[in-house]
Every structure is written in structure tokens, then in C-alpha cells.
């Protein structure tokens, strides 16, 4: 499939890189179809809207930043994207790169849950107050390296 992207212009994307978010992301509920697009900066990935080329989110595996990260998501929520077993889950977090040069952060309180079997996704909201919407990625990596 041909896809017009914010970061890379027109690219060809394979079906296995397509993600459906039935309820949309918080604040972007009207957008349901996305593609996972490699970024120039591993381990980051673009979550690119298939419906609006100007809508893309940088995402990352939160466990690379914080190995002790935990998500306690109830089965009823997971059923919305047909999760049958824990092995089918991929967790990602949305990254914010401010234009003003302030800290690059990841939203650990609102992770993305992807069902790797059917490519459906949802955004969960964690009630665990250990996690913030603005986890400073570099501070977390530096403290991880100090351990």
C-alpha cells in the first residue's frame, strides 16, 4: 500500500505494518487506521495515520527505557482488541519531542496496547501513580545506566 507520511514522504507499507485503533487515541478519536513506520532513530518508530499524512506519533518500547515498567490492564479492556493471551501483547508509549528543546518524554500512563495477532490497538490509561505522562527518557536511561 502507498502511504503519504509526515516524516518520509510517500512510502510503500506492507499489510503487516498496518494497525487499527477502533476507539482512536485520546484526543484523536476520529483516526482509526495507522501504520508502523521505521524512523531514522532506532528504537523509535512512527505511528503514522493512514487518514492524515500530517498526523504521526513517535513511539517507543517503554521497557527499553524502564525495565521495571508495569501495566496492569483489566481483561475487559483487553477484550476490546481481542487479546486472548499475554504473549499477543506489544506495549508501546507515545514520545513527545518539544520544539523548545526541553526534555523528550514518554507517556507511561497512557500506553498503547497492540494485539500482534490481529493488529488492533488501544490506548490504556493506567491508574498506577508510579507512571507519568511525561517520563523524561534521558533521565530514565541515565538512572538505568547508573544501576
Amino acid at each position: 500500500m502507498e502511504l503519504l507520511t509526515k516524516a518520509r514522504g510517500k512510502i510503500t507499507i506492507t499489510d503487516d505494518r498496518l494497525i487499527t485503533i477502533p476507539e482512536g487515541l485520546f484526543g484523536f478519536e476520529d483516526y482509526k487506521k495507522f501504520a508502523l513506520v521505521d524512523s531514522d532513530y532506532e528504537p523509535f518508530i512512527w505511528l503514522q495515520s493512514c487518514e492524515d499524512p500530517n498526523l504521526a506519533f513517535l513511539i517507543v518500547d517503554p521497557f527499553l527505557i524502564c525495565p521495571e515498567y508495569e501495566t496492569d490492564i483489566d481483561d475487559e479492556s483487553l477484550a476490546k482488541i481481542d487479546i486472548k493471551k499475554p504473549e499477543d501483547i506489544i506495549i508501546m508509549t507515545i514520545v513527545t519531542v518539544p520544539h523548545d528543546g526541553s526534555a523528550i518524554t514518554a507517556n507511561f500512563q497512557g500506553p498503547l496496547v497492540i494485539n500482534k495477532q490481529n493488529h488492533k490497538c488501544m490506548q490504556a490509561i493506567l491508574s498506577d501513580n508510579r507512571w507519568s505522562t511525561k517520563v523524561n527518557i534521558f533521565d530514565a536511561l541515565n538512572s538505568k545506566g547508573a544501576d
Side-chain angles (χ1 to χ4, degrees):
M1 160 184 176
E2 294 261 312
L3 181 65
L4 192 55
T5 71
K6 183 176 181 175
R8 301 193 129 181
K10 188 183 279 189
I11 63 168
T12 300
I13 198 87
T14 56
D15 286 348
D16 66 326
R17 304 287 286 184
L18 297 175
I19 299 290
T20 302
I21 308 176
E23 295 181 1
L25 299 173
F26 296 110
F28 300 90
E29 291 83 0
D30 293 340
Y31 301 93
K32 314 286 187 197
K33 296 178 191 309
F34 289 83
L36 298 173
V37 178
D38 293 333
S39 86
D40 293 334
Y41 304 99
E42 285 188 34
F44 300 101
I45 299 169
W46 287 106
L47 180 67
Q48 172 67 55
S49 169
C50 297
E51 298 152 314
D52 181 348
N54 294 312
L55 182 62
F57 301 91
L58 203 55
I59 61 174
V60 69
D61 178 342
F63 301 101
L64 296 175
I65 299 164
C66 179
E68 63 274 6
Y69 182 59
E70 294 176 4
T71 58
D72 185 17
I73 303 165
D74 63 88
D75 291 341
E76 185 178 320
S77 294
L78 294 174
K80 293 177 185 178
I81 57 169
D82 304 319
I83 294 289
K84 304 280 190 260
K85 52 190 176 192
E87 308 85 70
D88 292 341
I89 296 173
I90 299 170
I91 301 289
M92 300 296 280
T93 54
I94 296 176
V95 174
T96 300
V97 182
H99 294 291
D100 65 4
S102 57
I104 297 171
T105 61
N107 181 351
F108 275 34
Q109 197 168 38
L112 303 180
V113 182
I114 303 170
N115 182 332
K116 60 183 168 183
Q117 297 302 319
N118 64 12
H119 303 275
K120 287 184 183 177
C121 176
M122 63 173 277
Q123 186 173 17
I125 296 295
L126 304 181
S127 57
D128 189 333
N129 63 6
R130 289 181 295 166
W131 312 120
S132 162
T133 58
K134 298 196 177 296
V135 172
N136 183 312
I137 291 175
F138 293 114
D139 284 353
L141 290 173
N142 286 335
S143 68
K144 179 178 148 186
D147 292 340

